[in-house]
Amino acid sequence: MPFSRFLQPPFLNRWALEPEKTTFAQNGWSNKDMDPVPPHLRTWTTWSYITYWLSDSATIPVWEVGGSMLAIGLSWRQALSCTAVGYIIISMVMLLNGTTGARLRVAFPVLNRSSFGFWFSYFTVVSRIILAMFWFGIQTYGGSQCIYQMIKAIWPSIARVPNHLPLRASITTSGLLCYFLYWLIQFPFMLLSPQKLRWLFVVKSVVVPPTWLAILIWAFVRVPPSNGLFVQHATVTGTQFAFSWLSALNSVLGFYATLSVNIPDFTRYAKNERAQYVQPFIIPIAFIFFTFVGIAVTSAGIQLYGEVIWNPMLLIDKWDNRAAAFFASLSFLLATISSNISANTFSAGNDMTVMFPKYINIRRGQIICSIIGGWAFVPWEILANAQGFLNFMSGYTIFLGPFAGIMVTDVNFHLRILIFIHPDRSLLQFWLVHKGKVDVPAMYDPHGRYRYIGGFNWRAVLAVLVTVGPTFPGLINAINPTIDVGHVTRLFDIAWLYGFVVASTVYYITSVFFPARETFVEKPILGFLEDDAALDNPRAGYS
């Protein structure tokens, strides 16, 4: 059968999603998963967001970030202060962009059309898809190491399984087996709806934190803090310390740079706006604690094994207690599955619905992400042979800082930061460019008010160019250290923070002096009549 036949309408129509009778889907630019979330599907409560962040903070990368700070010469106190500052900043961005999703009930790829323009927004969406698929593969490989440790705890002979793959494969026979098993175990969880997915976070928040606490107790018993953690001092001072600390801060910020942009994918399912107001409180508390566990155990590992072991799987590999190794690896397995779905496949699924709304919903998007990111990207090859590419993808956060800053500045609107003195009042309101007065139906219309000039908001384009330009040489140096770009690498070390602040400032100034008047409306126009009524009567659902 010629390949061209697969591109004919009759074949494609077999894969078309069932049309939904909604205002937004009539013109072909939406589907059920892209539409604003209807009231009966808004099921996430405050407890849902608490368990979500408890779940997402107890992951291998969070452990590694804390431990790696010791490896670059920071003391545990300096590392912990860096972590605290970073997660306090990122939690506020989560709240700002999260409130937008909770108010408008739309996902990130639709929401950012009002900021970037209908067509320029696709640049941010494609960027997010690539990042999600890339990190899905990397985290899946990390999950396969959990499987390996679990099997090794039961059958130690797996360490002696002969390798039948060539050296150039960059993976062993047992490693590929564990990778496939992890991918297979993870796959069914991608089929869960957002309403059911929150229960996975509940289970993880109950199982994983006690395991981490047990490992922390083990570390303190084997190496008392007075002999290990408390006597560990910084090995960098002066200017080198300052830049090391700022670089570590950028790593903390960059770690959740993607989620800070697409947090509306989750907050749009909130029962009301106030359900997600807990984020600035739970995020710093959870991440500081779990980062401390990584720091403390890594510090103990220095005394026990004479080296900095900031990868928990390598630490577990040194344990003689097979039962402890199995259950610890099992908890890390659950942690990796949960975070991989929430941070990568679910976000990629949301983004892909915008690319092909007639054929792809969130579930199909997640499956595509798992196949391309898990197999076509060949993550073990990237980890083994492509350090420059890995540095490039890590440095891609130079774009995400500006993205987050532009979204916060443009849409965050009438944002109520509640200090709970009175349930119906707020002490502080932020009014920025659109002041929350946006037209949700127009976000689905390529010829609507958010078309700007040819589908591009030149203010957002300028803000991205102004911020990415100065940091791009640092990214080149990260990819190829032999290319000397001078002290500009220092700016790259704070790329996210620099991008967020400068892009926000440039976007705000250009929007004030050169306003896009066609995008302004007298009051917000939302997707459901009851939501519009709630805006007129705050006690009905938004206060």
Side-chain angles (χ1 to χ4, degrees):
M1 179 184 294
F3 177 75
S4 59
R5 290 191 60 181
F6 288 98
L7 303 180
Q8 299 301 315
F11 176 82
L12 291 178
N13 288 339
R14 297 174 188 173
W15 291 93
L17 299 169
E18 183 178 350
E20 296 290 330
K21 295 182 179 180
T22 67
T23 304
F24 310 98
Q26 297 303 316
N27 56 13
W29 290 96
S30 184
N31 59 40
K32 182 180 179 180
D33 286 346
M34 275 183 65
D35 284 350
V37 177
H40 70 280
L41 294 179
R42 302 170 188 174
T43 57
W44 284 48
T45 63
T46 297
W47 177 245
S48 301
Y49 290 100
I50 291 175
T51 56
Y52 172 80
W53 284 114
L54 285 175
S55 167
D56 229 37
S57 58
T59 60
I60 293 178
V62 171
W63 177 299
E64 291 178 337
V65 165
S68 64
M69 290 181 189
L70 300 185
I72 66 173
L74 298 183
S75 70
W76 72 272
R77 293 181 180 86
Q78 294 164 348
L80 209 59
S81 68
C82 179
T83 300
V85 172
Y87 284 117
I88 288 173
I89 293 173
I90 210 70
S91 69
M92 295 309 299
V93 179
M94 292 288 185
L95 176 65
L96 291 167
N97 281 330
T99 299
T100 307
R103 170 69 64 91
L104 303 182
R105 303 297 177 180
V106 294
F108 153 73
V110 175
L111 175 65
N112 68 350
R113 290 170 176 172
S114 68
S115 305
F116 294 87
F118 194 92
W119 295 117
F120 186 48
S121 69
Y122 280 82
F123 170 65
T124 66
V125 171
V126 172
S127 299
R128 181 68 187 98
I129 292 174
I130 294 173
L131 281 173
M133 291 193 296
F134 171 81
W135 288 116
F136 171 83
I138 299 299
Q139 287 207 39
T140 298
Y141 184 80
S144 70
Q145 295 179 312
C146 301
I147 292 288
Y148 177 83
Q149 293 299 333
M150 292 170 63
I151 295 176
K152 182 184 174 186
I154 302 174
W155 299 289
S157 59
I158 191 174
R160 299 187 296 274
V161 170
N163 179 34
H164 298 289
L165 297 176
L167 184 62
R168 66 176 183 275
S170 301
I171 193 171
T172 63
T173 299
S174 59
L176 187 60
L177 171 65
C178 293
Y179 185 90
F180 176 72
L181 288 175
Y182 176 85
W183 185 88
L184 206 61
I185 293 170
Q186 181 178 243
F187 190 86
F189 292 97
M190 292 183 285
L191 306 181
L192 295 175
S193 68
Q195 288 71 34
K196 294 180 179 179
L197 187 61
R198 61 195 175 107
W199 295 112
L200 173 63
F201 303 137
V202 171
V203 172
K204 179 183 171 183
S205 66
V206 171
V207 173
V208 177
T211 304
W212 284 48
L213 184 60
I215 296 175
L216 177 64
I217 294 173
W218 165 83
F220 281 164
V221 170
R222 293 292 304 274
V223 182
S226 58
N227 297 331
L229 183 64
F230 293 163
V231 298
Q232 191 269 331
H233 301 291
T235 58
V236 291
T237 58
T239 304
Q240 185 181 0
F241 158 71
F243 284 112
S244 296
W245 193 91
L246 288 172
S247 179
L249 174 64
N250 192 68
S251 297
V252 172
L253 293 170
F255 181 63
Y256 273 94
T258 52
L259 193 54
S260 69
V261 169
N262 67 274
I263 188 63
D265 292 347
F266 295 95
T267 57
R268 67 182 181 135
Y269 296 103
K271 279 196 170 184
N272 51 55
E273 276 186 29
R274 297 183 65 185
Q276 54 90 45
Y277 283 167
V278 72
Q279 292 186 102
F281 302 99
I282 187 61
I283 291 176
I285 292 173
F287 280 91
I288 289 172
F289 171 74
F290 290 117
T291 301
F292 173 75
V293 174
I295 292 172
V297 178
T298 300
S299 178
I302 296 174
Q303 302 296 323
L304 290 172
Y305 307 110
E307 57 182 315
V308 179
I309 305 175
W310 47 273
N311 184 334
M313 290 298 101
L314 297 180
L315 178 72
I316 291 173
D317 191 56
K318 294 182 176 295
W319 291 358
D320 296 326
N321 190 318
R322 291 162 57 183
F326 177 85
F327 287 109
S329 300
L330 178 62
S331 72
F332 281 109
L333 174 74
L334 179 59
T336 305
I337 289 175
S338 176
S339 63
N340 212 7
I341 291 175
S342 65
N344 296 318
T345 65
F346 186 76
S347 299
N350 272 283
D351 295 340
M352 289 184 195
T353 61
V354 174
M355 303 299 295
F356 306 100
K358 185 177 180 180
Y359 302 101
I360 298 180
N361 55 18
I362 293 177
R363 181 173 294 175
R364 290 183 180 181
Q366 290 191 88
I367 294 173
I368 293 171
C369 176
S370 71
I371 295 173
I372 297 178
W375 296 103
F377 276 25
V378 198
W380 52 88
E381 287 275 6
I382 295 173
L383 290 170
N385 303 315
Q387 186 60 42
F389 182 65
L390 187 64
N391 289 340
F392 169 75
M393 296 305 292
S394 298
Y396 205 80
T397 54
I398 65 174
F399 294 98
L400 298 176
F403 290 171
I406 292 170
M407 291 177 64
V408 166
T409 305
D410 183 73
V411 186
N412 264 305
F413 69 102
H414 191 188
L415 173 63
R416 303 177 179 187
I417 296 185
L418 295 185
I419 301 175
F420 297 98
I421 293 178
H422 191 283
D424 294 323
R425 295 180 182 177
S426 59
L427 296 183
L428 183 62
Q429 295 182 342
F430 288 95
W431 295 80
L432 299 177
V433 176
H434 282 116
K435 303 178 182 179
K437 299 177 181 178
V438 293
D439 183 352
V440 171
M443 295 179 186
Y444 295 83
D445 184 0
H447 304 289
R449 67 175 74 249
Y450 298 118
R451 181 176 174 82
Y452 292 95
I453 300 176
F456 288 71
N457 182 357
W458 66 266
R459 302 157 194 83
V461 176
L462 178 63
V464 171
L465 292 177
V466 167
T467 52
V468 171
T471 56
F472 198 75
L475 176 60
I476 294 175
N477 177 259
I479 297 172
N480 186 357
T482 61
I483 300 177
D484 184 13
V485 296
H487 294 295
V488 74
T489 55
R490 302 299 191 188
L491 193 59
F492 177 73
D493 289 339
I494 56 170
W496 190 93
L497 198 58
Y498 167 82
F500 182 89
V501 173
V502 174
S504 300
T505 303
V506 171
Y507 186 81
Y508 181 76
I509 292 174
T510 53
S511 297
V512 169
F513 286 97
F514 306 97
R517 300 188 185 280
E518 71 277 7
T519 66
F520 289 88
V521 292
E522 292 185 359
K523 69 175 184 176
I525 304 173
L526 305 184
F528 295 93
L529 293 177
E530 51 265 56
D531 290 335
D532 291 323
L535 286 174
D536 296 327
N537 178 18
R539 291 175 181 269
Y542 287 109
S543 293

